[in-house]
Amino acid sequence: MSRRLRLLFAALAIAALLWLLFAAAERFLALAQRFLALPAPLQWTLGLVLATFAAAGLAVLWWLLRPRRRRRPLPVPDRASLEQRIDKLREHGADTGALAAELGDLDQRRLGARLYVALFGEISTGKSSLIRALAPDATLASDARGGTTRTVGHYDSILPDGRPLVLADVPGSREGGGEVREREARQEALRAHAVIYLCAGDLTRGQVDELRWLADFGKPLLLVLNKADQWGEAELAQLLDKLRAQSRGIASAVVAISAGGGERYQRRLADGSTESVERQRKPAIEPLLRALARLTAAGAEGLEPRREQAVLAGLHQRTGTLEAQTRAETAERIVRQYARRAIVGAMAAVAPGSDLVIQGVLATGLTRALAELYGVKLSEVQIEDFVRQARLTLRTGSSIVLAVAGNALKAFPGLGTLGGGVLHAFAYALIFDSMGRALAASLAERQTLDQDDADARLKTLLADAGSTRLRQLATLTMDTLREPRGE
Ligand SMILES: Nc1nc2c(ncn2[C@@H]2O[C@H](COP(=O)(O)OP(=O)(O)OP(=O)(O)O)[C@@H](O)[C@H]2O)c(=O)[nH]1
Ligand SMILES: [Mg+2]
């Protein structure tokens, strides 16, 4: 479009806007005149309605533009309660070695009073290369073929102001199949006083999440754009702006560096042939050194309380996971035990219907045992209610249960050889297994007995004829019938 034409359009647009403004002003004045001509009571009513609308509009506007609330800090348990929980887990036979080792490392580093800085980031962002630049004498442990870091390594280095520090090189995150290594990397990051987060371009959603995760633990962070040599000046400035926007409120500073790394190129020899040569790029890490000195100015001692909080918060999460896992395993054992008893009860029924009495007692026992395991206090009435509700569900679902049991009898020939009453016994195994699993899952998720939720889960489980579960139940039925006393 030519310049003149553009000017003409601009002039037309301004004229249209002015016309609109005049029209609006005229309309407003006319309305104001009519408003003033109204009788006083009507003026008040209308005025009040208009004021309410304006207030509501402003409230909506404020809600939309209000500053985002800060994320809630993670819960940090005190050391003593954490140790108690770990002891309890150990008593229950859980493998608490890693948790105890973490506590040991926490103390050791506190006593050592050395400054720890961990490098962190996705694979191939240049973490190991940066370690080489910061600790030139270090021999790095990495996979010989891929050059990729597989284990956490510590390397001594010195800041330009002469302060010593320990650098941690960690495996890169987001490597396909590298979940265990990624977990180790995260734990190492929590153990450090500060973290250098490396990236090699603008951040993906996953990287932003990773940064937020670190910030949630209160980790002092630097966001470092590596491989700056790959960008032009203008591109680099743009990229840094974007990174600053992406990490606002999370990273203390954003800097661009070149960690170095090796580069391969072809060299032509005098005889006309070529050979492949590798040479080290020259590192340019000045901005990082300055930012790191500022970030760690408080020293190991000054940063220690924050570091300990982060480690304890991480331990709190890990202990919670192990607790849930251990409880789930215990719940499984309880359910199995009661399913076994139900099988025996079904076979021991002497008079018509007497099995129902036996199973009623068992259902109550199962409910009580699981509630106790999940620390949910239940009254006798609540337990009775739950068992009654489960009975109703079972009555309506009995045809499904019997169909599943009938199929199992055909699918697992061993069952058929055990003679009469097996169908009945297997049906009870399925019922108790479903009831126990439903209740355990509901209690674990809700920390209370939610009848509707547990009942919905029970219905799903009764109809679930998943082959592994049925095989386990068939084996349980056979084992129990052959040896009713063993638990
Ligand atoms: N262009 C350029 N390449 C770099 C730079 N730093 C590292 N590299 C290259 O990036 C690749 C990965 O470097 P590493 O240091 O192994 O990266 P890493 O983050 O330790 O990788 P993992 O251990 O697998 O997570 C190598 O090919 C390096 O040569 C740099 O400053 N510029
Ligand atoms: Mg590496």
Side-chain angles (χ1 to χ4, degrees):
M1 211 190 296
S2 78
R3 201 174 130 77
R4 267 198 187 175
L5 210 60
R6 257 186 290 162
L7 272 175
L8 183 69
F9 275 129
L12 278 175
I14 290 172
L17 201 70
L18 279 177
W19 184 79
L20 264 175
L21 272 176
F22 277 129
E26 201 185 353
R27 189 86 205 115
F28 178 75
L29 284 174
L31 279 173
Q33 259 177 2
R34 278 167 69 183
F35 179 80
L36 288 174
L38 289 173
L42 217 62
Q43 264 184 4
W44 276 103
T45 323
L46 205 61
L48 223 65
V49 171
L50 285 176
T52 316
F53 266 110
L58 280 177
V60 170
L61 208 66
W62 182 83
W63 185 79
L64 286 174
L65 300 177
R66 91 207 124 109
R68 290 271 161 255
R69 221 179 296 140
R70 284 190 72 81
R71 293 152 78 90
R72 247 191 291 150
L74 289 172
V76 182
D78 64 90
R79 172 86 183 234
S81 72
L82 197 62
E83 277 175 349
Q84 256 176 15
R85 283 164 63 194
I86 295 175
D87 283 346
K88 210 163 161 193
L89 277 169
R90 191 179 311 115
E91 280 162 24
H92 280 93
D95 180 6
T96 54
L99 301 179
E102 189 71 67
L103 278 174
D105 181 274
L106 181 68
D107 297 333
Q108 226 170 7
R109 289 199 191 191
R110 187 197 316 113
L111 292 174
R114 304 178 77 193
L115 182 65
Y116 281 85
V117 174
L119 271 61
F120 195 79
E122 288 193 356
I123 42 165
S124 278
T125 43
K127 297 177 291 299
S128 301
S129 304
L130 180 57
I131 298 261
R132 270 186 209 101
L134 287 166
D137 299 333
T139 318
L140 267 66
S142 67
D143 186 289
R145 262 178 310 147
T148 228
T149 309
R150 295 280 175 208
T151 50
V152 172
H154 291 121
Y155 307 95
D156 289 324
S157 179
I158 297 180
L159 281 169
D161 57 15
R163 284 186 294 145
L165 81 159
V166 182
L167 292 164
D169 189 15
V170 307
S173 45
R174 293 186 188 282
E175 185 192 1
E179 291 77 12
V180 176
R181 284 192 290 279
E182 183 167 337
R183 213 173 312 136
E184 276 165 17
R186 283 186 178 227
Q187 281 161 16
E188 183 59 30
L190 291 190
R191 288 177 203 129
H193 290 104
V195 172
I196 296 176
Y197 188 92
L198 272 114
C199 63
D202 64 356
L203 301 178
T204 59
R205 246 199 109 84
Q207 287 175 306
V208 174
D209 285 347
E210 228 164 32
L211 268 177
R212 286 223 175 98
W213 181 84
L214 286 163
D216 281 350
F217 282 92
K219 233 358 82 179
L221 278 172
L222 291 181
L223 175 55
V224 175
L225 173 68
N226 188 27
K227 312 192 187 181
D229 50 280
Q230 290 181 330
W231 311 91
E233 212 172 301
E235 279 174 319
L236 194 61
Q238 232 175 18
L239 203 50
L240 280 173
D241 278 346
K242 191 154 185 206
L243 289 175
R244 279 192 192 103
Q246 286 180 310
S247 64
R248 190 159 295 135
I250 300 177
S252 301
V254 182
V255 294
I257 60 160
S258 266
E263 68 189 327
R264 230 168 227 295
Y265 68 102
Q266 299 286 324
R267 184 163 61 180
R268 186 176 288 278
L269 300 177
D271 63 3
S273 64
T274 55
E275 69 170 1
S276 171
V277 188
E278 182 163 357
R279 90 176 147 205
Q280 292 298 309
R281 240 178 254 109
K282 205 170 147 35
I285 55 170
E286 272 308 309
L288 167 65
L289 290 173
R290 279 197 300 273
L292 192 58
R294 266 200 307 275
L295 190 72
T296 59
E301 235 166 80
L303 293 169
E304 185 63 17
R306 254 172 106 169
R307 186 187 86 78
E308 288 188 19
Q309 291 228 322
V311 173
L312 288 177
L315 266 171
H316 169 65
Q317 289 186 351
R318 285 164 69 188
T319 309
T321 309
L322 191 59
E323 279 167 348
Q325 212 176 307
T326 311
R327 254 200 305 265
E329 279 163 19
T330 313
E332 212 161 291
R333 227 175 304 130
I334 293 175
V335 173
R336 214 179 136 77
Q337 193 180 45
Y338 275 88
R340 222 184 142 91
R341 289 181 188 167
I343 295 167
V344 176
M347 299 306 281
V350 280
S354 64
D355 58 333
L356 282 178
V357 180
I358 301 171
Q359 310 303 22
V361 174
L362 286 180
T364 309
L366 173 63
T367 311
R368 196 175 289 133
L370 287 176
E372 197 186 312
L373 174 69
Y374 284 98
V376 176
K377 289 214 168 19
L378 291 184
S379 66
E380 291 304 309
V381 178
Q382 274 177 303
I383 295 180
E384 263 172 42
D385 270 358
F386 174 71
V387 173
R388 191 175 314 124
Q389 178 62 42
R391 261 217 192 105
L392 274 175
T393 305
L394 289 169
R395 200 166 299 154
T396 44
S398 63
S399 55
I400 300 176
V401 175
L402 285 174
V404 174
N407 282 338
L409 226 54
K410 280 182 229 145
F412 307 107
L415 274 177
T417 61
L418 293 169
V422 173
L423 183 77
H424 204 52
F426 184 85
Y428 269 119
L430 179 65
I431 287 169
F432 269 75
D433 184 74
S434 307
M435 207 166 104
R437 279 172 197 261
L439 187 59
S442 183
L443 287 170
E445 200 182 291
R446 316 219 157 185
Q447 314 295 317
T448 167
L449 176 59
D450 181 336
Q451 290 259 15
D452 295 336
D453 177 61
D455 201 50
R457 289 174 197 263
L458 173 58
K459 281 185 184 133
T460 319
L461 278 169
L462 282 175
D464 164 38
S467 61
T468 25
R469 187 171 158 236
L470 283 196
R471 173 161 303 124
Q472 280 169 0
L473 288 174
T475 316
L476 182 73
T477 310
M478 283 188 264
D479 290 351
T480 311
L481 291 181
R482 285 195 191 116
E483 204 183 326
R485 306 232 159 262
E487 280 213 344

